Amino acid sequence: MRGDQQFELQAEPLHRRIARELEQRIASGDWRPGHRLPTEAELMAGYSCARMTVSRAVSDLAARGLVVRRKRAGTVVAHPPVQSSALVAIPDIQAEIEGRGRAYAHRLLTQAVRQAGAEEHGLAGSILALQTLHLADGVPFALEDRLISLATAPEAETADFTAQSPGGWLLAHTPWTEAEHRISAISADRETAELLALNAGAACLRLERNTWRDGQAVTWASQIFPGSAYDLVARFSPVKG
């Protein structure tokens, strides 16, 4: 960071402005993969702010995979992962199951209110953590872990998630303006395999989703499906010209 760089005040939370300006340096190619970001002390001096403000900004970039925090090496610009170019919509699981002509049910496994960790999927403050098992015709269909920001969706704290799944409740009660999906292949660990009635190490598909409303984090969810239960299909046409 240049010592003479000026930072003008804008009508937005400072941590978001810091994250946005750092992201612009990455998106422009000024900071390429592997480039070391300014230290927290340098950012604190440059923006005349507290360490917590800087940490929130960098945590937001890390949660979105733009930077990687490394012990002793500092924070560096992440190398982009190899990803499919297909755009995949992830509907509510209940609608997905019923759309297949099967009976939907869910079982709430855990529910707790706690404080978000320092780098917990872009969420901050008080959150509701839930784990839900989705069933199709009584057979395990997906295991979902979900975090809900109680600052953005305070009504979630008193919602009855035994009657309605967290995902379905959010779709009905909390509109969102931006979402990000991440798709990966994993092997089921012992606990996941037991809940999904699989053998340990079985192939599974993991779908992660972050949603925001006007820049405020709403929820993060991880949905794990048995590999044989879910297909990702993209329909496309050749580009002409």
Side-chain angles (χ1 to χ4, degrees):
M1 176 183 299
R2 297 190 302 273
D4 60 350
Q5 187 170 355
Q6 299 296 315
F7 303 98
E8 61 177 357
L9 294 176
Q10 298 183 16
E12 64 177 324
L14 183 54
H15 73 276
R16 288 191 200 150
R17 179 162 69 90
I18 295 172
R20 175 173 54 78
E21 292 180 358
L22 297 181
E23 182 177 355
Q24 288 173 348
R25 300 291 295 273
I26 296 171
S28 68
D30 188 18
W31 290 349
R32 302 186 65 79
H35 176 88
R36 181 180 172 276
L37 271 65
T39 65
E40 287 192 351
E42 290 170 334
L43 290 171
M44 289 164 59
Y47 286 92
S48 300
C49 65
R51 183 178 298 275
M52 180 178 295
T53 301
V54 168
S55 180
R56 287 187 67 183
V58 177
S59 294
D60 177 68
L61 298 179
R64 291 188 285 135
L66 296 176
V67 301
V68 177
R69 283 177 158 175
R70 296 174 177 168
K71 291 183 179 179
R72 295 184 294 277
T75 301
V76 299
V77 178
H79 289 268
V82 177
Q83 297 177 334
S84 168
S85 61
L87 300 179
V88 181
I90 304 178
D92 176 46
I93 290 182
Q94 180 173 351
E96 177 76 8
I97 291 174
E98 292 177 344
R100 299 182 180 200
R102 303 175 70 182
Y104 171 79
H106 78 280
R107 188 159 71 239
L108 182 64
L109 303 178
T110 62
Q111 178 175 344
V113 174
R114 61 177 175 81
Q115 292 296 303
E119 297 183 26
E120 196 161 9
H121 308 293
L123 297 167
S126 184
I127 60 174
L128 181 63
L130 308 113
Q131 186 176 63
T132 304
L133 182 64
H134 299 273
L135 306 167
D137 291 339
V139 176
F141 182 81
L143 179 63
E144 175 181 300
D145 286 284
R146 184 177 292 273
L147 305 177
I148 301 174
S149 168
L150 293 179
T152 309
E155 304 91 345
E157 187 170 2
T158 57
D160 182 5
F161 292 118
T162 62
Q164 185 174 20
S165 71
W169 183 91
L170 283 166
L171 287 173
H173 293 83
T174 307
W176 54 272
T177 57
E178 184 181 0
E180 178 182 271
H181 295 159
R182 189 177 302 273
I183 305 166
S184 57
I186 66 169
S187 297
D189 58 28
R190 186 181 300 276
E191 179 183 358
T192 300
E194 183 175 339
L195 289 169
L196 290 176
L198 302 171
N199 293 323
C204 293
L205 183 70
R206 184 184 189 191
L207 308 182
E208 289 184 83
R209 175 167 54 185
N210 285 82
T211 58
W212 297 267
R213 182 176 67 195
D214 299 325
Q216 296 278 347
V218 176
T219 185
W220 166 87
S222 166
Q223 299 167 345
I224 300 178
F225 302 82
S228 60
Y230 212 93
D231 292 325
L232 299 177
V233 180
R235 184 172 181 173
F236 53 91
S237 299
V239 177
K240 297 182 179 179

